[in-house]
């Protein structure tokens, strides 16, 4: 049997440190919301492969659809010989788009590819170059998406020069002293100081920041962005790579906000564990790029498209939108109970949109001073307890919960019990 320690030593020797890992254990097998390491230890999975597994590990319906596709063909390159699963998935997503039809959809492989291509499409459609993004936002690790990502460490350090024409404005987080008004003022300053609105192709925003700390964009901000875009011919891109696919109780988080974007990027839970990403946008905008300007050898893999079709069925049949809302409410209630105990580490800012739930660790009760060290302690204790847990946030101060929405109540309860233990002060 392989041991975690042996594999860790081999990993360190063979793989660069630039790809970090949250845990020193190695996966052996997984089922729905449980995962076992190579030494047979079981973990409840509150990380969901960073939001990829809203439908759980190896959902039987998704596995069946994938197996059926594997038996037919695994790759042609869509540009060489197209196939129905891609077309059918595009049709279904077009019908579900969070804006007025007609829509069109194109597929890629990673979240970064989707966000990068959304910008290419916006540039082609507007004939403009500049992009406005937000501090704390995360859009990927390719050159363009890294430039749009609003966090220097660890994403940008050592990788300059960054592509030009990307501008950042502050994302509003009330307890860090930034309001919606501050964000809008910053856009106004930007238009005066750095770039005229007529040169801006797109504003890109995560409706709920993922890596940035599970902060939902206030409705007033989203509505003001829509207005600024409409007044200036700018396209609004919502990056739903992490917040999409039922996580927040809607297929797309922007549906909570009463705003229609022009382009939506998606990935992660779109294909239930298979690599697939996509951009759905207004048909006129999506058709702006020249034939051959968009795509990729593996983009829209038939196996991943078959999986994604099954994901859409599972979301509907298992009522995962409703489940996300109910789970979110329950998790927030349990977290509030844990926070109220006087023998737990100081917690603050319990929040969530549906099942996209997080809270912060702070230096003392009642304070909002972030405590990233405490967060690291909690995630490592949780691992010892048999719970996979991820942090996030500008200061690494937040614990985020991305548990599969298919988890049953008993296992969710057990997982929250492990989290409670990890949060309890040592005697
Ligand atoms: C909102 C958002 N956009 C883009 C990405 C990049 O996705 P990928 O890592 O698949 O390139 C992520 C990944 O976490 C994300 O959360």
């Amino acid at each position: 049997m392989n041991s975690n320690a042996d594999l860790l030593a081999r990993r360190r020797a063979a793989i660069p440190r630039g790809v970090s890992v949250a845990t020193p254990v190695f996966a052996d097998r997984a089922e729905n919301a449980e995962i076992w390491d190579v030494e047979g230890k079981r973990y409840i999975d509150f990380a969901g492969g960073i939001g990829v597994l809203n439908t759980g590990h190896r959902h039987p319906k998704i596995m069946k659809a994938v197996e059926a596709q594997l038996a037919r063909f695994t790759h042609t390159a869509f540009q060489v010989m197209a196939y129905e699963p891609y077309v059918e998935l595009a049709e279904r997503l077009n019908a579900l788009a969070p804006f007025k039809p007609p829509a069109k959809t194109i597929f890629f492989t990673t979240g970064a590819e989707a966000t990068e291509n959304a910008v290419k499409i916006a540039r082609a459609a507007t004939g403009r170059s500049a992009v406005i993004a937000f501090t704390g936002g995360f859009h990927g690790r390719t050159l363009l998406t890294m430039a749009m990502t609003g966090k220097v460490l660890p994403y940008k350090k050592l990788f300059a020069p960054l592509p030009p024409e990307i501008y950042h404005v502050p994302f509003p987080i009330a307890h860090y002293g930034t309001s919606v008004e501050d964000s809008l003022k910053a856009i106004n300053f930007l238009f005066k100081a750095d770039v005229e609105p007529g040169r801006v192709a797109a504003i890109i925003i995560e409706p709920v920041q993922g890596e940035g700390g599970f902060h939902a964009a206030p409705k007033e901000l989203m509505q003001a962005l829509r207005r600024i875009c409409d007044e200036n011919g700018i396209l609004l891109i919502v990056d739903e790579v992490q917040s999409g696919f039922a996580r927040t109780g809607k297929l797309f988080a922007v549906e909570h906000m009463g705003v229609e974007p022009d382009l939506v990027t998606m990935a992660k839970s779109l294909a239930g564990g298979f690599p697939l990403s996509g951009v759905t946008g207004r048909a006129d905008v999506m058709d702006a790029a020249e034939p051959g300007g968009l795509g990729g050898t593996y983009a829209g893999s038939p196996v991943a498209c078959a999986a994604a079709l099954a994901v859409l069925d599972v979301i509907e049949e298992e009522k995962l939108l409703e489940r996300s809302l109910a789970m979110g409410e329950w998790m927030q209630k349990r977290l509030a109970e844990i926070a109220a105990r006087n023998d737990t580490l100081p917690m603050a800012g319990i929040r969530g949109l549906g099942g996209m739930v997080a809270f912060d660790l702070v230096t003392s009760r009642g304070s909002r001073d972030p405590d990233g060290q405490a967060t690291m302690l909690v995630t490592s204790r949780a691992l010892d307890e048999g719970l996979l847990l991820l942090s996030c946030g500008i200061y690494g101060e937040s614990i985020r919960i991305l548990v599969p929405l298919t988890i049953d109540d008993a296992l969710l309860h057990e997982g929250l019990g492990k989290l409670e233990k990890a949060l309890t002060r040592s005697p």
Side-chain angles (χ1 to χ4, degrees), residues 149-168:
T149 288
K151 189 172 179 184
V152 172
L153 262 175
Y155 304 121
K156 302 190 193 198
K157 195 181 166 194
L158 306 177
F159 299 132
L162 300 177
E165 300 258 51
I166 310 292
Y167 301 92
H168 284 95

Side-chain angles (χ1 to χ4, degrees), residues 249 320-332 354-355 412:
L320 294 188
L321 302 182
E322 291 88 331
R323 175 76 181 146
S324 160
L325 294 174
M327 275 172 63
E329 210 172 293
W330 198 58
M331 288 191 282
Q332 287 205 50
L412 181 60

Side-chain angles (χ1 to χ4, degrees), residues 297-377:
T297 305
Y298 297 106
S301 145
V303 179
C305 287
L309 287 166
V311 165
L312 286 174
D313 292 341
V314 169
I315 290 175
E316 208 177 303
E317 288 162 12
E318 299 186 16
K319 301 194 180 347
L320 294 188
L321 302 182
E322 291 88 331
R323 175 76 181 146
S324 160
L325 294 174
M327 275 172 63
E329 210 172 293
W330 198 58
M331 288 191 282
Q332 287 205 50
K333 191 163 156 271
R334 272 290 277 130
L335 288 170
E337 283 164 15
I338 297 170
R341 280 178 43 178
N342 56 17
D343 61 346
T344 46
L345 295 166
M347 297 160 63
I350 297 166
R351 57 190 175 274
L353 195 58
M356 194 164 181
V357 169
F359 61 92
D360 301 330
L361 285 151
V362 289
T363 50
S364 60
R365 266 163 208 274
S367 118
R368 286 312 262 127
D369 288 342
D371 191 345
Q373 292 295 327
T375 309
M376 281 199 285
L377 177 72

